[in-house]
Amino acid sequence: MTKKKMALSTQIFIALIIAIIAGVALTARPEIATTYIKPFGTIFLNLIKWIVCPLVFFSIMAGVISMRDIKKVGVIGGRTVVYYMCTTAFAVAIGLIFANLFKGVFPVLSTTDLSFEPSATSVNFMDTLVGIFPSNFLQPFVEANMLQIIVAALIIGFAMIMINERQEMDFKAINTVNDICMKAMEMILKFSPVGVFCLLCPVVAENGPQILGSLAKVLFVGYLCYTIHAIVVYSTAVSTLGNLSSIKFFKGMLPAMMMAFSSASSVGTLPLNIECSEKLGADKEVASFVLPLGATINMDGTAIYQGVCSVFIASCFGIDLTFSQMLTIVLTATLASIGTAGVPGAGMVMLAMVLQSVGLPVEGIALVAGVDRIFDMGRTVVNITGDSSCAIVVSAMQRRRESKK
Ligand code: ASP
């Protein structure tokens, strides 16, 4: 008797629905969800965080070695960064345009007794640049600093290619360790439905539907922009540049999108994103490099959120943003999204940098802080979908380039 196994996406979807129902049912006693359910979500996320560093390190090294050509890595890297920058700038622009269109219906909240600690706000571009390069071999792993891990993997990968040019070496061990990490990741991902349930249920139980309250319209505009950006930008990119129908793309991405929605963490969704993107036709060598990089530097959803919130906060303070201020927001939000870590709530901290760039009061963040998690779930979905669309587009471009040779 062979029982047909339910697809992972269906399992995750069912878990998501049950989590919402259970969360709503537990709104009167949220401590039950936080005490007994949340810890299992934390265990699941911890295991993913544990495997993600070695996974990224070895998969990038294995990818670089398999390319056997530093120039090829450079071409892929260049295309990836250009794609990420352009889509992010587009995302903030969409956020700003729609927030301005809907500004009239936004509530005007009182700004008199706002208190927000603007301590973590001075993020300077040069500091971010210096922070990309590790000064200690182990520290990037201890701190789970993804950008530094990527840099380390690239340098060692390049060194291996160079040695290989001089004498044929056998780097089988790297591939074996990479396969082991992948297998361990697969084992952890089997528990995704349970993880999704345990992560989402306490959020719903703790916040309940009333959290939407007066900010429902701002949230609506945020989610509208997320949807428009995904449908317009990613659909167009994957169907024209990536030779993949947009329906297939979104269908294939569903498990990762649901995981992103529940965990609000791009890094936590990375293993599932790699799996989904490869199933959709992204090359292994491209996905293993483009996706970890994207989980760290490409945050289109976060950029949209920063655009929408800047306009909302400005209007609460009775300030009308000028066109040049909006351009500054496009620029700083694009840079801020590079510096945003792929963990829950990071985008809100970076909003401070965007507000400061146009002289808006940083305390304004307190106006949106209460619903940040709801914004965050949506923006993380957009963030990881953007990464995957890039992996698919760059893979297709690479295939075309190679077939021409
Ligand atoms: N939670 C988001 C992510 O992991 C980052 C953010 O807070 O905007 O992609």
Side-chain angles (χ1 to χ4, degrees), residues 238 242-255 273-283 388-389 392 395 399:
V238 293
N243 303 330
L244 178 71
S245 100
S246 41
I247 309 230
K248 264 198 194 140
F249 172 66
F250 286 113
K251 218 171 142 206
M253 279 301 289
L254 264 181
N273 201 7
I274 295 178
E275 204 173 287
C276 292
S277 306
E278 284 179 2
K279 274 192 195 144
L280 282 168
D283 293 335
S388 170
S389 75
I392 285 162
S395 298
R399 281 196 287 268

Side-chain angles (χ1 to χ4, degrees), residues 264-267 295 299 302 340-348 376 379-380 383:
S265 168
S266 299
V267 172
M299 308 266 168
T302 305
T340 307
V343 295
M348 193 177 76
D376 200 1
R379 63 187 190 240
T380 310
N383 291 346

Side-chain angles (χ1 to χ4, degrees), residues 14 98 145 158 280 301 326 376 397:
I14 295 173
F98 277 86
N145 186 325
F158 288 162
L280 282 168
M326 299 223 203
D376 200 1
M397 284 176 151

Side-chain angles (χ1 to χ4, degrees), residues 2-3 52 108 119 126 132 153 169 192 228 260 308 330 372:
T2 48
K3 242 208 262 163
V52 91
V108 181
S119 55
M126 279 326 210
I132 294 175
M169 300 274 287
S192 308
I228 292 175
V308 172
V330 172
D372 185 64

Side-chain angles (χ1 to χ4, degrees), residues 143-159:
E143 292 174 354
N145 186 325
M146 213 52 78
L147 273 184
Q148 293 190 352
I149 292 176
I150 292 171
V151 169
L154 283 176
I155 296 176
I156 296 180
F158 288 162

